[in-house]
């Protein structure tokens, strides 16, 4: 139900405008009712009916019908005066960036002033203009009306159905281009990755340097150092020359353990220095020189990437194709105590 918020009305200082809007609504109602009656009066059926039952009214109204344009011009003069008054107030208040924006934003009022049959229908839009103005100042709340909820729901349904089909069509066309052999990987490499190569190499250098510092850290690098220690110890023990040291009496086992610990420290330190010394320039040089002969097509990586892209597009299409308005309507109906559908939606 449409209610007037009197508190917001007082705070907005729009009471004079509300009175003016109500007066204009009354005049507009009279004008539109008169237009409809005069249009029906021109039909043979209504004219004959009035002639049979109300001949006196017919004789009195015939001159008015013959000169109805002059009657309509009176209403047009009232609407035009009110339009010019609002335009002047908008200029004084500086409601728009330019003084001449007002007639363009209220074009329907200009068209409604033209005294022809089709253009007179635009006078109905003045009703929505007044309601919108009251809603903007929160004097009334159109969101709580059944009519607004009805049209808002079906507008959302229309927009969702239309947009979903457009998006699915676009994604399907993209899948066809990819399946037809579109050079997607080359475009990604040339237009996406290549311009960002300095940033990527700098990021890689930062990650590698941080990894080296983490290995060197007593708290965070214990797992890596322990893994290196076990790997080196296994390699040392499996070496024939080193394993023969334990045959030496007394000092053989000590030499073997010392050698294992020394090699472990050397390998760990070398790994830390290698990771810490790598910078963006060395990584970029490695990519440019060391990997220039590597072609992903040789191991069908491009096919896998295209499959990944295609599957992602399928998931997006499935998500877009979901009719969320049906879920919303089902939830709304299930929440109603009687289980009957809401007539407003």
């Amino acid at each position: 139900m449409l209610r007037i918020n009197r508190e917001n009305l007082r705070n907005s200082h729009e009471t004079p405008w509300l009175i003016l809007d109500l007066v204009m609504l009354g005049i507009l109602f009279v004008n539109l009712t008169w237009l409809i009656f005069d249009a029906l009066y021109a039909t043979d059926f209504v004219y004959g009916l009035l002639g049979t039952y109300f001949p006196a009214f017919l004789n009195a109204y015939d001159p008015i019908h013959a000169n109805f344009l002059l009657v309509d011009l009176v209403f047009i003069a009232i609407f035009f005066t009110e339009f010019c008054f609002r335009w002047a107030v908008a200029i004084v208040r500086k409601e728009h960036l330019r003084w001449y924006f007002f007639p363009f934003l209220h074009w329907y009022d200009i068209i409604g002033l033209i005294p022809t049959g089709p253009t007179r229908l635009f006078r109905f839009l003045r009703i929505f203009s007044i309601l919108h103005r009251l809603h903007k100042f929160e004097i009334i709340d159109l969101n709580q009306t059944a009519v607004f909820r009805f049209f808002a729901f079906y507008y959302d349904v229309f927009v969702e159905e239309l947009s979903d089909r457009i998006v699915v069509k676009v994604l399907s066309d993209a899948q066809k281009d990819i399946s037809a052999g579109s050079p997607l990987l080359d475009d990604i490499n040339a237009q996406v990755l290549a311009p960002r190569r300095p940033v990527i190499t700098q990021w890689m250098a930062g990650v590698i340097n941080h990894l080296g510092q983490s290995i060197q850290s007593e708290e965070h690098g214990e797992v890596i150092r322990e893994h290196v220690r076990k790997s080196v110890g296994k390699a040392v023990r499996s070496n024939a020359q080193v394993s023969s040291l334990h045959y030496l009496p007394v000092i053989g086992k000590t030499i073997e353990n010392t050698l294992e610990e020394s090699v472990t420290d050397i390998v760990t330190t070398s790994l830390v220095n290698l990771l810490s010394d790598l910078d963006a320039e060395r990584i970029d040089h490695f990519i440019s020189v060391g990997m220039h002969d590597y072609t992903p097509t040789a191991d069908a990586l491009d096919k896998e990437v295209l499959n990944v892209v295609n599957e992602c597009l399928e998931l997006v299409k499935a998500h877009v194709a979901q009719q969320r308005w049906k879920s919303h309507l089902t939830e709304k109906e299930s929440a109603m105590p009687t289980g009957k559908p809401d007539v407003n939606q």
Side-chain angles (χ1 to χ4, degrees), residues 241-256:
Q241 287 78 11
V242 176
S243 60
S244 62
L245 291 175
H246 73 275
Y247 291 111
L248 293 175
V250 183
I251 62 173
K253 189 63 175 177
T254 303
I255 296 175
E256 182 179 355

Side-chain angles (χ1 to χ4, degrees), residues 54-126:
F54 306 99
F57 175 82
L58 197 69
N59 295 330
Y61 190 77
D62 269 339
I64 298 177
H65 175 71
N67 300 278
F68 186 76
L69 180 60
L70 298 177
V71 176
D72 194 37
L73 287 177
V74 175
F75 289 98
I76 291 175
I78 297 174
F79 295 145
F80 182 72
T81 302
E82 187 257 353
F83 177 83
C84 293
F85 176 71
R86 288 189 181 275
W87 189 1
V89 172
I91 295 175
V92 173
R93 290 184 174 182
K94 297 182 179 180
E95 296 179 357
H96 309 293
L97 294 176
R98 297 290 185 272
W99 65 271
Y100 51 83
F101 279 9
F102 186 86
F104 290 100
L105 296 176
H106 298 79
W107 55 270
Y108 46 86
D109 287 339
I110 300 294
I111 297 178
L113 295 175
I114 302 174
T116 59
T119 57
R120 286 167 176 164
L121 296 176
F122 283 90
R123 298 178 191 178
F124 280 104
L125 297 180
R126 293 177 63 92

